[in-house]
């Protein structure tokens, strides 16, 4: 197909919606405010995108199996509280990090097991977990944030390599590993088969239950990793609801051109989707648009992206 | 080819029964399939053909009865067990994944991997090369192995599914209505493939509603009605009319 023909093809734009949107946003914001592309602002955008990238990667695994994880942000909150409690109890940084990931991973595994064995719709199960995990976080934390002062966490959230903060580099590493897992391993192929044609996958001897449990566990564990980065960034472990992280994680995946019906997807797409959402919020803030307009803008962008996916091949 | 002593019997179902709730899907079904033969399984819709096939291919487990394969008692817990034993099935819906490529479908759950310490990565090049050889052995117009199954014609899809069923040292290939959705030319090509499978020494268990096809291809016909096996004939010794009579119940065995 020639370049001109490609540009006229709606499917091309659906496939590359996130990248096209990101480039368009960058051009507009840079034209309106030249500090947008300053090294300092780029660095802060990348750091701000890190947690969302990690959550979006987890969400991608789930959505590629035609599921959805509505509990991802609450599980992250629960992980953060688990981290805060164990850290203040004197566990040390390493064990506290492990606990955060493990607790969140277990919550994800519970999601997966109920969905796979109980044969209950994923959005109901994970909606229940959304409530349960945030409730658990409130109970454990007694509703109060715990301030965490740790030199390593401080360096994690402020240091980096050039304009790339450590947290962004961690998110990038997660994305690279996820890409390899999805496209270069048996697990990834079986995951896509489970999402695209569960009966065919089962007929070929693939355990679709095991795949379901695995993707929700991965989503949970990545929420736990996000929890650590969140505590590092905020400087405290709070039992806050973090609803915007849930919406944005789904939004990034949709923007990234991953089919909500499962069976097809990329990791690059949702990563770009996460960067786009972060750039959108950052740019609006730079332009002095009131904070209340940001969720409105995100909502519009996401629905537009979802409309574009109708043109996918 | 036919052996009256039954030494060539590869699949031997004995008194297989299966009940779903109050529905007796299979009642004491006994039948055999021999190496180097095409064994046809016919019957009306709901007669239990597909259910029996699903028992043999490890999707269902019979409530009672035995399934002997290659002289050994089987107890398949999953389709993977059956595939490992050498039973491959071409399902009516073909069991292909549309969003995956031809080579990914051919190697689905049979992937070739290369180990790097604890991680095993797909050896895509090896799979693509082998897939190319597998598909080019087909008489049907050869699909490009890197194209997605979504883009293939009905006949090409059928070919890919058959290719997958025969490509992994399978002994028994079960085909559930392999030509039901195909045009005249494509049907002829798929029939050529089925005959070639037989000539290569596979046992083929063919479910078909097409009597002409059954008479043309098979050596043995088993007839099912309402969950029971109501008759069995050597194809050479029977007529299409007799088979129809057995299916409808006009002829009692």
């Amino acid at each position: 197909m020639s370049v001109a023909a490609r540009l006229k093809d709606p499917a091309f734009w659906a496939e590359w919606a996130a990248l096209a949107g990101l480039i368009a946003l960058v051009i507009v914001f840079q034209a309106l405010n030249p500090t947008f592309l300053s090294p300092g602002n780029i660095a802060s955008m990348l750091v701000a995108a890190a947690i969302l990238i990690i959550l979006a990667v987890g969400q991608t695994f789930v959505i590629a199996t035609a599921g959805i994880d509505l509990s991802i942000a609450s599980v992250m909150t629960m992980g953060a509280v688990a981290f805060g409690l164990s850290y203040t109890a004197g566990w040390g940084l390493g064990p506290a990090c492990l606990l955060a990931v493990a607790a969140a991973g277990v919550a994800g595994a519970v999601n997966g097991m109920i969905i796979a064995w109980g044969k209950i719709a994923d959005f109901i199960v994970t909606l229940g977990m959304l409530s349960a995990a945030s409730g658990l976080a409130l109970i454990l934390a007694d509703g109060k944030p715990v301030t965490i002062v740790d030199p390593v966490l401080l360096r994690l959230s402020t240091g980096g390599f050039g304009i790339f903060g450590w947290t962004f580099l961690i998110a990038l590493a997660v994305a690279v590993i996820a890409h390899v897992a999805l496209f270069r391993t048996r697990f990834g192929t079986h995951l896509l088969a489970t999402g695209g044609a569960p009966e065919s996958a089962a007929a070929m001897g693939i355990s679709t239950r095991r795949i379901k449990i695995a993707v929700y566990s991965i989503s949970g564990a990545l929420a736990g990793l996000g929890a650590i980065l969140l505590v590092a960034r905020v400087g405290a472990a709070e039992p806050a609801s973090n609803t915007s992280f849930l919406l944005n994680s789904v939004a990034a995946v949709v923007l990234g051109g991953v089919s909500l019906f499962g069976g097809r997807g990329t990791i690059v797409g949702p990563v770009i989707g996460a960067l786009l959402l972060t750039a959108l919020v950052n740019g609006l803030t730079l332009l002095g648009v009131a904070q209340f307009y940001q969720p409105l803008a995100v909502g519009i962008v996401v629905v537009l992206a979802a409309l574009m996916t109708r043109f996918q091949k | 080819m036919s052996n009256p002593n039954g030494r060539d019997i590869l699949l031997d179902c004995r008194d297989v029964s299966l009940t779903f709730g109050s529905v007796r899907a299979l009642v004491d079904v006994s039948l055999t399939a021999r190496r180097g033969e095409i064994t046809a399984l016919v019957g009306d819709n709901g007669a239990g053909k597909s259910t029996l096939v699903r028992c043999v291919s490890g999707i269902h487990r019979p409530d009672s009865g035995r399934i002997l394969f290659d002289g050994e008692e089987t107890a398949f817990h999953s389709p993977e067990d059956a595939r490992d034993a050498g039973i491959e099935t071409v399902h009516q819906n073909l069991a292909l994944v549309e969003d995956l490529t031809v080579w990914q479908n051919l190697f689905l759950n049979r992937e070739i991997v290369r180990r790097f310490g604890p991680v095993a990565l797909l050896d895509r090049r090896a799979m693509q090369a082998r897939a190319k050889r597998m598909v080019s052995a087909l008489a049907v117009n050869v699909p490009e192995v890197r194209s997605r199954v979504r883009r293939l014609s009905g006949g090409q899809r059928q070919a890919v599914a058959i290719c997958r069923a025969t490509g992994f040292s399978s002994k028994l290939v079960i085909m559930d209505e392999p030509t039901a959705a195909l045009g005249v030319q494509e049907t002829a090509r798929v029939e050529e493939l089925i005959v070639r499978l037989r000539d290569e020494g596979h046992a083929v268990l063919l479910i078909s509603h097409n009597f002409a096809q059954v008479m043309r291809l098979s050596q043995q016909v088993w007839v099912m009605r309402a969950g029971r096996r109501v008759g069995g004939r050597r194809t050479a010794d029977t007529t299409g009319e007799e088979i129809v009579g057995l299916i409808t119940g006009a002829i009692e065995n």
Side-chain angles (χ1 to χ4, degrees):
Chain A
M1 226 190 285
S2 73
V3 176
R6 265 172 189 270
L7 292 179
K8 278 184 200 154
D9 182 8
F12 170 80
W13 289 103
E15 211 86 15
W16 294 98
L19 190 59
L22 181 60
I23 292 170
L25 273 189
V26 166
I27 292 171
V28 170
F29 284 136
Q30 179 64 14
L32 295 174
N33 187 333
T35 58
F36 184 73
L37 281 187
S38 66
N41 195 48
I42 291 176
S44 75
M45 274 196 285
L46 294 181
V47 166
I51 296 172
L52 186 56
I53 289 173
I54 291 172
L55 296 185
V57 166
Q59 194 70 266
T60 302
F61 275 87
V62 174
I63 288 180
T65 66
I68 193 157
D69 187 356
L70 297 179
S71 69
I72 196 163
S74 313
V75 166
M76 176 170 75
T77 302
M78 196 192 73
V81 168
F83 177 92
L85 290 178
S86 53
Y87 185 85
T88 46
W91 278 37
L93 184 63
C97 287
L98 281 180
L99 181 75
V101 174
V106 167
V110 169
N111 275 335
M113 284 188 271
I114 296 174
I115 290 164
W117 286 325
K119 293 184 180 165
I120 304 171
D122 3 43
F123 72 92
I124 296 292
V125 175
T126 56
L127 193 62
M129 182 59 79
L130 182 161
S131 190
S134 47
L136 207 56
L138 283 168
I139 296 166
L140 289 174
D142 201 17
K144 294 188 288 271
V146 187
T147 308
I148 307 283
V149 184
D150 184 280
V152 177
L153 281 189
L154 191 67
R155 250 180 292 151
L156 182 72
S157 62
T158 54
F161 187 79
I163 60 166
F164 304 109
W166 295 129
T167 52
F168 175 73
L169 291 173
I170 290 173
L172 207 60
V174 166
V176 169
I177 293 168
H179 178 88
V180 171
L182 193 56
F183 297 111
R184 291 286 190 272
T185 68
R186 298 187 70 195
F187 169 71
T189 310
H190 294 184
L191 189 164
L192 292 170
T194 299
E199 284 179 9
S200 301
M204 288 300 109
I206 293 169
S207 169
T208 54
R209 282 181 181 169
R210 212 182 298 165
I211 297 287
K212 279 272 177 188
I213 295 170
V215 293
Y216 284 96
S217 303
I218 290 171
S219 176
L222 287 177
L225 178 61
I228 299 167
L229 302 194
L230 185 67
V231 171
R233 194 168 108 195
V234 179
E238 332 173 273
S241 68
N242 290 321
T243 320
S244 69
F245 273 114
L246 162 62
L247 298 178
N248 286 351
S249 75
V250 178
V253 174
V254 173
L255 278 170
V258 177
S259 165
L260 289 172
F261 301 111
R264 50 192 297 168
T266 63
I267 295 295
V268 184
V271 168
I272 295 173
L275 289 173
L276 184 156
L277 290 171
T278 311
L280 179 67
V281 170
N282 178 286
L284 290 175
T285 311
L286 272 188
L287 296 181
V289 176
Q291 216 183 349
F292 297 155
Y293 286 87
Q294 290 168 5
L296 178 67
V298 169
I300 291 170
V301 166
V302 169
V303 173
L304 283 179
L307 277 174
M308 289 191 75
T309 60
R310 284 182 54 95
F311 295 106
Q312 263 179 356
K313 279 174 196 158
Chain B
M1 205 58 83
S2 66
N3 187 326
N5 302 323
R7 272 188 296 129
D8 279 345
I9 288 176
L10 179 65
L11 175 71
D12 188 358
C13 299
R14 296 184 186 168
D15 300 321
V16 173
S17 296
L18 179 60
T19 309
F20 295 114
S22 60
V23 181
R24 302 178 75 189
L26 296 175
V27 186
D28 297 332
V29 176
S30 296
L31 55 77
T32 56
R34 299 180 194 185
R35 285 190 189 84
E37 283 195 1
I38 297 171
T39 304
L41 186 56
V42 297
D44 237 329
N45 290 329
K49 306 179 303 279
S50 291
T51 311
L52 181 71
V53 161
R54 290 163 82 85
C55 287
V56 175
S57 62
I59 296 174
H60 295 323
R61 292 199 71 186
D63 296 332
S64 64
R66 301 157 68 196
I67 298 174
L68 282 82
F69 185 69
D70 215 356
E72 285 182 35
E73 188 96 27
T74 65
F76 300 141
H77 291 274
S78 78
E80 195 169 7
D81 292 344
R83 290 186 83 191
D84 286 343
I87 299 175
E88 292 279 348
T89 309
V90 181
H91 294 272
Q92 202 169 353
N93 62 10
L94 302 185
L96 297 173
V97 182
E98 297 215 323
D99 284 321
L100 294 183
T101 60
V102 170
W103 68 266
Q104 283 174 314
N105 271 284
L106 284 175
F107 285 90
L108 195 55
N109 211 16
R110 286 279 187 281
E111 293 88 354
I112 302 172
V113 290
R114 292 167 67 177
R115 298 210 158 269
F116 299 90
V119 285
L121 297 184
L122 297 177
D123 191 343
R124 296 155 66 109
R125 213 176 279 172
M127 284 189 278
Q128 285 170 4
R130 212 176 130 191
K132 228 174 249 176
R133 285 200 301 274
M134 283 164 76
V135 211
S136 62
L138 293 175
V140 185
N141 55 339
V142 179
E144 161 62 35
V145 295
R146 270 179 298 191
S147 57
R148 289 180 197 279
V149 166
R150 188 178 290 285
R151 298 179 181 277
L152 303 189
S153 72
Q156 286 179 321
R157 287 172 191 225
Q158 197 77 44
V160 171
I162 294 175
C163 207
R164 177 171 67 184
T166 56
F168 297 95
S169 62
S170 54
K171 298 172 188 160
L172 171 67
V173 179
I174 303 173
M175 303 213 187
D176 196 348
E177 306 226 19
T179 58
L182 300 184
V184 178
Q185 271 197 327
E186 289 181 322
T187 299
R189 281 175 174 157
V190 168
E191 284 185 5
E192 270 173 43
L193 275 178
I194 297 173
V195 170
R196 199 198 297 173
L197 281 183
R198 176 193 64 192
D199 295 344
E200 284 168 359
H202 291 87
V204 179
L205 184 61
L206 173 71
I207 296 182
S208 180
H209 276 131
N210 181 336
F211 293 112
Q213 182 175 64
V214 167
M215 300 309 285
R216 199 162 53 235
L217 299 181
S218 72
Q219 281 69 55
Q220 169 78 33
V221 189
W222 298 105
V223 183
M224 290 189 69
R225 187 171 71 238
R228 294 169 193 272
R229 192 216 74 197
V230 293
R233 297 283 188 277
R234 296 303 290 175
T235 312
D237 304 334
T238 188
T239 61
E241 277 166 37
E242 189 186 16
I243 299 294
V244 173
L246 284 166
I247 289 173
T248 57
I251 302 173
E252 291 293 333
N253 198 25

